Amino acid sequence: MNTDTFLGEGWSFPPHFDKKTNQLVTTAGIADINKSLEILLSTRLGERIMRPDYGCNLEELLFQPLDVTLKTYIKELIETSILYYEPRIDTQSITLDTTNELNGEILIKIEYIVRITNSRANMVFPFYKNEGTEA
């Protein structure tokens, strides 16, 4: 059994087509898991009509003071979202790199184990205030 296929294959996001083959571009394996995590972390609650409880709602925290309480809350929010919406992995750790916080950026590093293969992987999600983001 091909591990990448078992882990899942999905549309690339945003969806697009390969001009040479005229085929839909897809992702599989660890890349698919990382893309799924990226989508989960960047989705607001209520944004998906058929799944109003899907998402992480990190954007509501953009202008909060970055203290220990908020850092703990962000980690808990992410861990809970992954627990409910990414069943292919077990989260090992979530760390926040705040070295660039004065520029409005936090790097969220998620280390996880893929359940079916017991292999370790990680992804880094840049969480920051976009220029177009309203207060």
Side-chain angles (χ1 to χ4, degrees):
M1 174 185 290
N2 183 353
T3 303
D4 280 353
T5 305
F6 184 81
L7 291 177
E9 182 175 6
W11 289 21
S12 61
F13 191 80
H16 63 281
F17 291 88
D18 183 341
K19 291 180 182 179
K20 292 180 182 175
T21 63
N22 291 327
Q23 297 290 317
L24 179 70
V25 176
T26 61
T27 59
I30 298 293
D32 187 47
I33 291 172
N34 285 346
K35 189 50 101 171
S36 175
L37 289 171
E38 182 182 331
I39 292 168
L40 177 64
L41 296 179
S42 60
T43 301
R44 296 178 188 156
L45 293 176
E47 189 172 348
R48 292 199 170 181
I49 295 170
M50 301 301 282
R51 297 290 306 265
D53 56 338
Y54 179 86
C56 205
N57 230 24
L58 289 174
E59 226 173 79
E60 74 177 12
L61 308 174
L62 276 175
F63 298 102
Q64 301 297 320
L66 191 58
D67 56 10
V68 175
T69 303
L70 184 66
K71 290 177 187 178
T72 303
Y73 179 69
I74 289 172
K75 290 178 187 179
E76 295 277 330
L77 193 61
I78 293 169
E79 192 169 1
T80 302
S81 295
I82 291 172
L83 179 67
Y84 285 111
Y85 299 109
E86 188 46 79
R88 298 175 288 182
I89 65 171
D90 289 320
T91 306
Q92 295 300 296
S93 71
I94 299 171
T95 55
L96 304 178
D97 179 356
T98 59
T99 55
N100 203 14
E101 74 176 283
L102 294 178
N103 291 327
E105 179 183 63
I106 299 173
L107 297 178
I108 301 169
K109 182 177 183 183
I110 303 169
E111 295 182 17
Y112 59 88
I113 294 180
V114 179
R115 289 181 177 175
I116 191 64
T117 62
N118 205 29
S119 59
R120 291 181 167 271
N122 68 63
M123 64 115 27
V124 175
F125 179 75
F127 176 57
Y128 55 92
K129 180 189 177 301
N130 291 329
E131 293 303 318
T133 304
E134 298 283 328

